[in-house]
Amino acid sequence: MKAIVIDEFVSNLAHLKVKETPLPQPQGSRNVSIQITHAAVTHVDMLYAQGLHQNNRRHVQPPFILGTEYAGIVTASPPASAFPPGTRVFGGGLGSFAEHICVDEVGIRKVPDPWSNAEACAVGSSGAVSWGALMEVARLKRGETVCVLGASGGLGVMAVQIAKGVGARVVAVVGGREKEEVVRGVGADEVVDYRVEGWEDRVRGFGEGGEGVDVVYDGIGAVESSLKCLRYRGRVVIVGFAARGGKMENVRANRILLKSAMVHGYRFGEDGRHDPQRTQDVWNGFMKLVEAGTIKPVIYKEEYRGLEAVPRALDSLKTHKAWGRAILRINEEEKEATQKAKL
Ligand SMILES: NC(=O)c1ccc[n+]([C@@H]2O[C@H](COP(=O)([O-])OP(=O)(O)OC[C@H]3O[C@@H](n4cnc5c(N)ncnc54)[C@H](OP(=O)(O)O)[C@@H]3O)[C@@H](O)[C@H]2O)c1
């Protein structure tokens, strides 16, 4: 099959190449084989390709197939599996920039009926990550005000919708007019542009009495800015570092003390390894919003056909053009021919 294989980390994303590689084989009794129809192109992929992600120190070392989110069609599964051949599924797991993937069935879910495979892929695990961060960790409540940093990104558009879905007021922080429209389209009440100096003061002004917001969802790695936006005894949940290019911020601890703030990290994958039940609860909580029709997948407008488009899609992320999820279409010609599924 074809795949983007990382034999060694690259310093230039344009150097990523499609290669022939053996078809993945089932490794355990719960393994499901999937023909991939779509893969999301994410910030994590950009870091993985360059060896800049914290997981590259241990878990994710060359050689590996790039890509972490996918949707597809089951081609083979164990006899009693909940996912018989032909089932449309989506999931997260290393190796999605490929034509096929084999995964443990605990890592996949059926594509909800109203969604196409592309839409399910755009939501991927971002919805569950954002649900876990806001609801399990930050304990966001109806009527509170939450600021979402990185609101136009794949995780961010989910965070905005989840917060609205539970009755919170949302201040979305983005870079530019096009992204402002995107976040307003998914329900943001207020939008602040981070490229305007003093943006933290504007965010703080949207909190009750102009005293700061109750919760900051930080997907970009800006804890000191988050603390400026926060009210006394507010909560910050750190989800990602999209603005840091792999270099971490040194946070002055007195800033946390001065506001009696709670600063809490949330690492979805690792949390699931430590506490699978909590991650199951997180998925269940998020899927209730999906079933209620509250969640709208957000697919970036540019088209990326075939694995050859991976460097171009990653470049759209790197240059801040993309919003929502950039989606790669794989194997689509064959699927159009069989017309088996809603893609
Ligand atoms: N905790 C977890 O378990 C977990 C799971 C998955 C991902 N993550 C992490 O979460 C982060 C977000 O992931 P994603 O997939 O949503 O990424 P994404 O789709 O690339 O979105 C990144 C967002 O960050 C914003 N951004 C980038 N540079 C910025 C800057 N200098 N100032 C303000 N905003 C900036 C972008 O807005 P503009 O385009 O407007 O600049 C965009 O909205 C990543 O660091 C990823 O590694 C964490």
Side-chain angles (χ1 to χ4, degrees):
M1 69 165 186
K2 287 182 186 164
I4 303 272
V5 182
I6 303 290
D7 290 316
E8 53 185 338
F9 295 124
V10 296
S11 52
N12 183 341
L13 296 168
H15 292 163
L16 293 172
K17 292 275 177 296
V18 181
K19 290 185 188 159
E20 274 300 325
T21 189
L23 209 59
Q25 300 299 323
Q27 298 295 323
S29 58
R30 294 185 310 184
N31 250 230
V32 171
S33 304
I34 297 164
Q35 181 170 37
I36 294 177
T37 58
H38 300 82
V41 181
T42 72
H43 192 83
V44 172
D45 304 321
M46 192 163 71
L47 298 180
Y48 274 6
Q50 301 170 91
L52 295 176
H53 195 282
Q54 58 227 0
N55 288 349
N56 293 129
R57 287 191 213 120
R58 247 178 353 132
H59 306 304
V60 183
Q61 285 280 329
F64 63 91
I65 296 176
L66 196 61
T68 46
E69 302 261 359
Y70 56 87
I73 296 174
V74 174
T75 53
S77 53
S81 171
F83 307 99
T87 309
R88 296 193 299 134
V89 293
F90 71 109
L94 194 63
S96 68
F97 293 169
E99 293 179 297
H100 298 268
I101 194 166
C102 268
V103 292
D104 191 307
E105 63 179 12
V106 297
I108 57 174
R109 296 196 142 61
K110 286 185 184 160
V111 173
D113 269 344
W115 285 355
S116 66
N117 279 23
E119 287 172 320
C121 187
V123 174
S125 56
S126 311
V129 174
S130 290
W131 172 277
L134 287 174
M135 305 309 295
E136 280 287 323
V137 176
R139 305 266 166 199
L140 181 66
K141 293 180 208 65
R142 169 175 294 278
E144 285 191 319
T145 301
V146 56
C147 166
V148 178
L149 301 182
S152 65
L155 256 59
V157 293
M158 290 296 123
V160 170
Q161 297 184 69
I162 290 163
K164 286 303 291 175
V166 301
R169 183 159 161 262
V170 179
V171 183
V173 178
V174 301
R177 284 305 297 270
E178 190 178 1
K179 289 165 192 168
E180 172 169 354
E181 278 169 35
V182 170
V183 294
R184 287 212 189 271
V186 292
D189 299 285
E190 312 291 350
V191 183
V192 171
D193 193 323
Y194 68 77
R195 297 171 312 171
V196 179
E197 209 176 320
W199 62 267
E200 296 97 334
D201 297 334
R202 285 208 56 216
V203 173
R204 194 170 57 243
F206 289 122
E208 203 181 325
E211 297 277 320
V213 298
D214 301 290
V215 171
V216 177
Y217 170 104
D218 179 9
I220 64 167
V223 173
E224 288 213 0
S225 287
S226 301
L227 290 163
K228 281 189 193 165
C229 299
L230 205 64
R231 72 162 165 80
Y232 189 75
R233 283 198 198 150
R235 292 101 74 199
V236 177
V237 56
I238 304 171
V239 182
F241 307 101
R244 306 230 68 92
K247 290 198 192 82
M248 292 304 126
E249 177 187 19
N250 286 318
V251 179
R252 287 168 290 185
N254 67 319
R255 305 291 150 129
I256 302 173
L257 180 142
L258 287 171
K259 283 206 171 162
S260 294
M262 200 163 85
V263 180
H264 203 315
Y266 182 55
R267 190 176 171 199
F268 181 75
E270 192 62 21
D271 216 59
R273 286 184 276 279
H274 284 269
D275 189 350
Q277 187 53 51
R278 175 154 109 154
T279 297
Q280 191 53 53
D281 295 344
V282 162
W283 267 108
N284 294 345
F286 174 65
M287 290 312 281
K288 276 197 191 125
L289 283 187
V290 172
E291 281 149 25
T294 308
I295 302 295
K296 180 175 146 196
V298 182
I299 298 179
Y300 179 52
K301 62 185 179 186
E302 216 166 289
E303 212 168 82
Y304 304 102
R305 268 184 197 273
L307 292 162
E308 289 74 11
V310 165
R312 183 165 60 86
L314 285 169
D315 189 63
S316 303
L317 259 63
K318 197 175 168 194
T319 55
H320 296 240
K321 270 168 66 188
W323 34 257
R325 276 282 176 242
I327 296 292
L328 200 67
R329 296 169 190 274
I330 306 169
N331 284 321
E332 212 166 49
E333 297 72 22
E334 288 166 50
K335 290 296 129 196
E336 274 160 12
T338 54
Q339 283 296 314
K340 265 188 177 166
K342 183 179 173 186
L343 301 176

